[in-house]
Amino acid sequence: MKFNYKFSNLVGTVYRKGNVTFINNGDSLVSPVGNRISLFDLKSNKSETLPVTTKYNIVCVAVSPDGCTAILVDEEGEASLISFISKSVLHTHHFRKPIKCIKFSPDGSKFAVTKDNLVLVYHAPGRNRELNPFKLIRTFYGAYNDTTCIDWTSDSRAFAVGGLDMNTRVYAAIKCDNLVVYSLGAHKDEIVGCFFELNSLDIYTTSRDGALNVWECDTPLEGLKLAQSDKVIPYTEEVQEEDVDAVGTKEKEDLDESETKKPKILYKRVAKLVHFSYMTYISVCAECTPYSNIHSPQILLQQGRRFQPRHQHSLPPQDSHPGDRFGIRIVPHPRCPSSISSILSGSKSWKSVCDYLQLVVGDIADISEHQITASAFNVTGDWLALGSSGLGQLLVWEWQSESYILKQQGHSNGMCCLDYSPDGRFIVTGGEDGKVKVWNTSNGFCFVTFSEHESTVTAVRFTSSGHVIMSSSLDGTVRAFDLHRYRNFRTFTSPRPSQFVCMGVDGSGELVAAGSRDSFEVFVWSVRTGRLLDVLAGHEAPVSSLQFSPCESLLASGSWDRTVILWKIGDEKGARESIDVGHDGWCSMFSSVMAVTYRGDGKELAVSTLNAEITFWDVKTATQNGSVDCRFDIGCGRGELDRVSAKTSSFGKSFDALCYTADGSAIIAGGQTKNVCVYHVENKLLMKKFEISSNFSFDGMEEFLDKRKMTEFGPSALIDMDTDEKIKLPGVRVGDMGARAFHDEVRVSGVCFSPTGREWAAVSTEGLLIYSLDANLVFDPFNLDMDITPESIRDASQRKEYSGSIMMSFRLNDKPLIREVLEAVPSSSIELLCERLPPSYVDKLLDFLASEMESSPHLHFILLWMRAILTKHGPHLKSKSNHVVAVMRHVQKSLTRKSETICKL
């Protein structure tokens, strides 16, 4: 068996930090999710996470005007040039310091980067074939503090840069006679946004204290005069970093000699608007929909946390309240205020227009108590994207119709558990924020959220019908949710308050059981009546895992007391068998049961223990079939506060989540590390190891001690200026919450295999990661011979030898070729071909037809094939149902999804 699953999508995390941006057509939104980026197609309602990663979390994203490439910059200043076409990294470049902003010019020939108090302008990659696509053109000086924002003019000949020194500077990207650098002041706080007007040098600047200045230039955009000798002095990064003073002095002398006597452009402030709000981010649309034939006004977004008093005696404004608000203001052109006023509000005063339109959308804006950290307009100015890193929320708002185009939010405090629906179309997740979310695997979007729990959700399960979700929580309740009416229709509680850490649902969906952390008991309820049926007492330590057998009402409960008890639920209720998984000797204390799971046929039970061992037990005889030592496969990184090596710290780790594959031939395990391991059950060998995350922004990712963080007193993370030494508590995985800054550790809280056998998912600190067989093309031949070639297969198809051509195409396993051969078969010959098809090809053909149904327009043709196969080979498929159950569920998933799509029409 080959485990050729590749990363397919990251679900559950829609936004982490950094800026969001639209691709050139405005129909797709790019959002950074940790060290990856996700593309949200707003027209087809789908999401996709690219399989490219950076070393640290992404803080800046710049998309080229043609939408083919993008530059991603992480927290350490390392830039990655990626291609949206090939979905791969083309080049990497390290700026050596953190970057605040990066932006392409409108013509796509250059891009600018803010680095400390400098602005670096590079040639845009992709224009020419070069060994180093990041070629520095020029370094611009002048700022007295860090630069924070950039905006280009429409013709890409000038750009504006705002910074922490409360000034906005307009630079000429090429040498001009009437513009070198122009400084705009009048602000009392740092600049958070500067925006040129379309086809003009007029500029809008706004600062963090909520002040907006409108600057009018006395020169039109086409009035920029090129210098007589447009000579650019090439500065390399080594020169500008080592000899900054010398280069800056030389540039200043050249400018003083040649350009001081020539007329310069002048700016004049024509308006100032003050809003008593604390600005965190601001955005202006690039091209706005015209409201009249005279002028297209700019649409401005203002947002931020309301003003908070710095001192106790200072009072906030009357309308201030916690939470973030955003509004849209239409700023008319200062040259024609009367016409815009009459169109928008009937007033003759430009100031009254601004007051009237201060919040065009109204106060829809109370998104949350967390601040908005990113915003962007699309090309037409109709859609507005907002991101909040505190909530992990991403919104796309159509402000004219006052409706949401996209509204997605992940779990704010991490995920804890997951489960697949019986047909594999949906995934349900539970989080530390007490929410239960249901995600669609086809488009990656969450379509329903249940918020009834008041504490961490510890387990979620689908019933066999797929229409009911069961969840347990530390708040002492087990709840049942209806996916038809989207409501909580049952709530199960125990006689005494208990915290439920695990849960199981039987195959019929009539019984639900939950294990307690406090009383060491297992409670069993009836889903139909909501009554407590039984309390199973037998464990001497907290119950860690519960699992019902797929074939009978047999409940397996694992506990920290190193035992697994098989309970018979029903008429012959009581303990059927007790399995002692502990070893004799001193190591028996490390044999606490962490997870149990049944095989698909219910005949075998897998148990994971604290000593990093997975044991397999026969359910009928309660005998051990074998074990796998996972101690050297778990792997672990070195944390910042660890005093031991990574190899030493890996001892004591274990797998907390287990799941059999659809056919039961392998088992997948995840735990307190970044690795998910797959073991072959029969051979007891490691098949493959998946590294869930490569993000060094998390703690515990380093394999070895970083010498750069070593001081004469030891690692820098261990040096604390406080007198009290802070020691990390055992088992804490989120860091010290009282510290000013802490990093989460990568861990896998749950793994689950899809019933279709085509994909599996894992919930981790990164989010919900899905690995699929459909993510890439894998060459997997079947009984391949030397004489089987694409040419011979096409020749057989043309000679109307359809049966032989179909079998040869499956031996070559080329999907386009299989599709070509099948589509060449006349519909009248389908039943005869299916009757003559050998049994070894039946499940392969059925699986291929199920995957083709999702994208092929020949729906009736595929349904004829499926009906003929199921009619002619039904007894054969039933005889080996254990092997083809994944294929049949894949067929069911495709049929259900296609049926829902057609019913909507």
Side-chain angles (χ1 to χ4, degrees):
M1 175 183 176
K2 294 184 179 180
F3 218 79
N4 296 317
Y5 291 83
K6 298 295 182 182
F7 173 79
S8 174
N9 201 1
L10 175 61
V11 183
T13 304
V14 295
Y15 173 74
R16 280 284 177 86
K17 61 185 299 187
N19 64 301
V20 295
T21 180
F22 285 92
I23 299 184
N24 58 343
N25 55 8
D27 298 338
S28 298
L29 181 66
V30 180
S31 173
V33 285
N35 65 337
R36 305 175 186 265
I37 61 169
S38 293
L39 301 180
F40 295 89
D41 193 339
L42 303 178
K43 287 296 182 69
S44 59
N45 196 31
K46 289 185 178 180
S47 67
E48 178 189 11
T49 303
L50 300 187
V52 297
T53 59
T54 58
K55 197 172 182 180
Y56 294 88
N57 285 333
I58 298 172
V59 295
C60 296
V61 178
V63 180
S64 60
D66 57 3
C68 296
T69 59
I71 300 176
L72 315 178
V73 184
D74 61 17
E75 294 173 339
E76 297 296 320
E78 184 174 359
S80 300
L81 174 66
I82 67 168
S83 171
F84 287 124
I85 300 175
S86 62
K87 300 177 183 179
S88 60
V89 179
L90 303 179
H91 181 71
T92 57
H93 176 80
H94 210 303
F95 291 109
R96 301 188 182 93
K97 288 186 179 180
I99 302 300
K100 294 292 183 63
C101 184
I102 180 171
K103 194 169 186 179
F104 277 91
S105 62
D107 61 358
S109 61
K110 300 179 286 292
F111 69 89
V113 178
T114 59
K115 176 182 175 182
D116 290 339
N117 62 336
L118 308 175
V119 182
L120 310 177
V121 178
Y122 288 82
H123 283 294
R127 296 285 177 172
N128 300 313
R129 292 180 178 269
E130 294 178 329
L131 181 62
N132 182 15
F134 284 13
K135 184 178 180 182
L136 181 65
I137 301 176
R138 191 174 182 181
T139 303
F140 292 87
Y141 303 86
Y144 296 101
N145 207 332
D146 291 349
T147 50
T148 57
C149 52
I150 304 173
D151 193 44
W152 289 84
T153 57
S154 303
D155 60 354
S156 305
R157 293 195 296 172
F159 61 92
V161 178
L164 300 181
D165 59 356
M166 298 177 288
N167 286 336
T168 303
R169 292 171 176 83
V170 181
Y171 293 96
I174 58 177
K175 286 199 172 183
C176 299
D177 290 336
N178 54 349
L179 175 62
V180 179
V181 58
Y182 198 102
S183 181
L184 305 173
H187 281 286
K188 299 180 181 179
D189 206 340
E190 62 180 89
I191 308 298
V192 296
C194 56
F195 304 95
F196 280 105
E197 194 172 323
L198 184 65
N199 299 325
S200 174
L201 285 173
D202 297 346
I203 190 171
Y204 303 90
T205 62
T206 183
S207 56
R208 188 172 292 275
D209 58 359
L212 169 67
N213 289 332
V214 183
W215 303 87
E216 180 183 359
C217 183
D218 63 347
T219 305
L221 185 58
E222 57 273 7
L224 289 178
K225 300 178 181 179
L226 295 179
Q228 296 295 330
S229 58
D230 189 6
K231 182 179 180 181
V232 178
I233 303 174
Y235 299 121
T236 61
E237 287 210 31
E238 289 76 9
V239 173
Q240 64 93 8
E241 288 183 358
E242 297 175 1
D243 303 325
V244 171
D245 296 335
V247 175
T249 304
K250 180 179 179 182
E251 183 181 5
K252 185 176 180 181
E253 291 174 356
D254 294 341
L255 296 177
D256 289 342
E257 292 178 0
S258 60
E259 301 182 359
T260 53
K261 297 182 180 180
K262 297 180 180 179
K264 307 294 183 180
I265 66 172
L266 295 177
Y267 276 93
K268 178 183 179 182
R269 191 178 71 179
V270 295
K272 180 179 180 180
L273 306 175
V274 179
H275 311 285
F276 298 97
S277 59
Y278 187 68
M279 309 292 288
T280 57
Y281 202 89
I282 193 166
S283 179
V284 173
C285 70
E287 298 179 6
C288 305
T289 304
Y291 282 83
S292 66
N293 296 327
I294 301 174
H295 176 68
S296 301
Q298 292 287 340
I299 303 174
L300 179 67
L301 166 72
Q302 62 185 19
Q303 59 192 36
R305 185 173 294 280
R306 283 289 184 179
F307 174 82
Q308 298 293 337
R310 298 184 180 179
H311 307 284
Q312 294 182 358
H313 61 271
S314 60
L315 297 177
Q318 296 294 327
D319 61 342
S320 66
H321 56 84
D324 268 17
R325 308 172 67 81
F326 70 89
I328 297 180
R329 175 186 290 276
I330 298 186
V331 181
H333 199 281
R335 295 195 184 98
C336 52
S338 59
S339 59
I340 300 300
S341 301
S342 60
I343 292 173
L344 296 179
S345 65
S347 173
K348 300 297 182 182
S349 171
W350 181 64
K351 182 179 183 300
S352 63
V353 176
C354 294
D355 294 337
Y356 178 77
L357 294 170
Q358 181 173 357
L359 293 176
V360 175
V361 183
D363 288 335
I364 60 161
D366 294 328
I367 293 181
S368 67
E369 295 182 358
H370 297 268
Q371 68 180 19
I372 302 170
T373 53
S375 66
F377 275 100
N378 67 340
V379 176
T380 60
D382 297 328
W383 291 350
L384 171 63
L386 301 169
S388 175
S389 61
L391 279 179
Q393 189 180 50
L394 188 64
L395 306 173
V396 177
W397 173 262
E398 189 176 45
W399 61 273
Q400 293 177 345
S401 62
E402 299 186 11
S403 60
Y404 285 109
I405 303 299
L406 172 70
K407 186 178 182 181
Q408 288 291 308
Q409 178 182 336
H411 291 279
S412 56
N413 295 329
M415 299 182 183
C416 299
C417 47
L418 83 159
D419 191 33
Y420 268 98
S421 62
D423 55 2
R425 293 188 302 143
F426 307 127
I427 297 179
V428 58
T429 58
E432 296 176 0
D433 55 359
K435 295 181 179 179
V436 176
K437 290 179 173 288
V438 186
W439 307 85
N440 193 324
T441 57
S442 61
N443 56 23
F445 287 157
C446 172
F447 62 91
V448 62
T449 300
F450 301 105
S451 306
E452 281 76 10
H453 283 295
E454 298 178 356
S455 186
T456 300
V457 179
T458 55
V460 288
R461 291 288 185 273
F462 270 99
T463 59
S464 57
S465 63
H467 304 312
V468 177
I469 295 175
M470 310 295 296
S471 65
S472 63
S473 173
L474 295 181
D475 61 1
T477 62
V478 175
R479 297 179 183 269
F481 302 99
D482 185 4
L483 286 184
H484 287 305
R485 299 182 180 179
Y486 300 122
R487 63 186 180 93
N488 174 211
F489 70 93
R490 284 282 188 275
T491 301
F492 309 95
T493 57
S494 57
R496 297 180 301 274
S498 301
Q499 289 184 320
F500 299 127
V501 295
C502 54
M503 184 192 62
V505 180
D506 74 329
S508 63
E510 297 292 334
L511 300 176
V512 58
S516 171
R517 172 183 292 176
D518 309 318
S519 60
F520 314 153
E521 297 171 334
V522 178
F523 301 89
V524 183
W525 296 273
S526 170
V527 178
R528 185 181 300 274
T529 62
R531 295 178 54 188
L532 179 64
L533 299 179
D534 200 357
V535 179
L536 307 178
H539 287 292
E540 300 176 355
V543 181
S544 58
S545 182
L546 290 176
Q547 183 77 21
F548 271 97
S549 173
C551 302
E552 54 182 332
S553 296
L554 187 64
L555 175 65
S557 62
S559 173
W560 290 4
D561 60 2
R562 305 184 297 277
T563 61
V564 175
I565 300 180
L566 302 179
W567 307 88
K568 185 67 176 178
I569 309 297
D571 297 336
E572 302 175 359
K573 61 182 180 179
R576 174 180 171 181
E577 191 73 40
S578 179
I579 302 175
D580 188 4
V581 298
H583 299 282
D584 296 333
W586 66 273
C587 62
S588 61
M589 60 181 297
F590 299 107
S591 300
S592 300
V593 177
M594 307 304 295
V596 296
T597 184
Y598 276 100
R599 199 170 62 185
D601 56 2
K603 298 180 180 180
E604 188 177 75
L605 184 70
V607 180
S608 174
T609 53
L610 188 60
N611 58 356
E613 187 177 14
I614 300 177
T615 56
F616 302 94
W617 299 81
D618 188 279
V619 176
K620 289 186 177 180
T621 62
T623 57
Q624 184 176 347
N625 295 335
S627 64
V628 179
D629 188 3
C630 314
R631 188 177 309 168
F632 301 100
D633 303 329
I634 290 180
C636 184
R638 184 190 183 102
E640 291 183 352
L641 301 178
D642 288 347
R643 301 174 185 266
V644 296
S645 63
K647 182 178 180 181
T648 305
S649 63
S650 64
F651 293 95
K653 307 288 184 181
S654 62
F655 287 126
D656 302 333
L658 294 177
C659 183
Y660 275 96
T661 57
D663 56 358
S665 61
I667 192 168
I668 185 169
Q672 300 173 359
T673 63
K674 61 181 178 180
N675 296 324
V676 171
C677 299
V678 182
Y679 295 94
H680 196 277
V681 175
E682 184 178 356
N683 299 329
K684 308 298 186 297
L685 295 175
L686 176 68
M687 295 175 56
K688 195 165 185 178
K689 183 187 294 186
F690 294 90
E691 186 178 7
I692 293 296
S693 176
S694 60
N695 189 356
F696 283 86
S697 295
F698 294 113
D699 195 14
M701 294 294 298
E702 296 282 353
E703 292 286 341
F704 305 99
L705 184 63
D706 192 351
K707 294 182 178 180
R708 294 173 296 180
K709 298 180 181 179
M710 285 293 295
T711 64
E712 56 181 336
F713 304 104
S716 58
L718 293 175
I719 301 175
D720 197 348
M721 301 303 294
D722 298 337
T723 55
D724 298 334
E725 183 179 3
K726 296 179 181 179
I727 301 177
K728 189 176 181 181
L729 295 176
V732 176
R733 296 294 166 191
V734 295
D736 184 8
M737 301 295 287
R740 293 186 178 182
F742 65 92
H743 300 285
D744 291 339
E745 289 190 18
V746 176
R747 65 187 188 277
V748 179
S749 304
V751 292
C752 189
F753 210 88
S754 172
T756 63
R758 303 294 300 176
E759 60 187 23
W760 62 273
V763 288
S764 68
T765 314
E766 288 272 14
L768 176 58
L769 296 103
I770 299 178
Y771 289 78
S772 174
L773 287 175
D774 304 324
N776 61 340
L777 296 176
V778 179
F779 178 69
D780 187 15
F782 174 73
N783 294 337
L784 188 62
D785 297 331
M786 292 293 294
D787 56 345
I788 297 179
T789 61
E791 291 76 12
S792 61
I793 295 174
R794 291 188 178 93
D795 292 341
S797 179
Q798 291 178 359
R799 295 194 302 268
K800 298 183 179 181
E801 298 176 1
Y802 299 119
S803 179
S805 62
I806 291 175
M807 290 187 289
M808 288 192 296
S809 63
F810 273 102
R811 290 183 181 182
L812 194 60
N813 202 22
D814 186 4
K815 288 187 176 181
L817 187 60
I818 297 174
R819 186 183 305 112
E820 180 183 348
V821 171
L822 288 179
E823 291 179 354
V825 177
S827 58
S828 59
S829 304
I830 291 178
E831 292 188 4
L832 181 60
L833 289 175
C834 290
E835 186 177 357
R836 297 181 178 180
L837 192 67
S840 59
Y841 291 92
V842 172
D843 53 345
K844 293 182 177 295
L845 178 57
L846 202 59
D847 190 32
F848 177 79
L849 292 173
S851 60
E852 282 293 302
M853 180 176 290
E854 300 179 4
S855 58
S856 176
H858 309 295
L859 179 60
H860 184 224
F861 185 72
I862 294 177
L863 291 176
L864 290 177
W865 275 101
M866 284 186 174
R867 185 179 65 179
I869 293 175
L870 296 176
T871 303
K872 302 297 181 182
H873 298 275
H876 166 72
L877 294 174
K878 187 176 182 179
S879 63
K880 59 172 192 175
S881 58
N882 294 334
H883 298 87
V884 300
V885 60
V887 177
M888 299 307 297
R889 284 176 176 170
H890 189 200
V891 173
Q892 179 188 4
K893 174 185 175 181
S894 301
L895 288 172
T896 307
R897 182 178 297 174
K898 187 62 68 174
S899 175
E900 290 182 354
T901 305
I902 295 176
C903 289
K904 292 179 181 179
L905 301 178

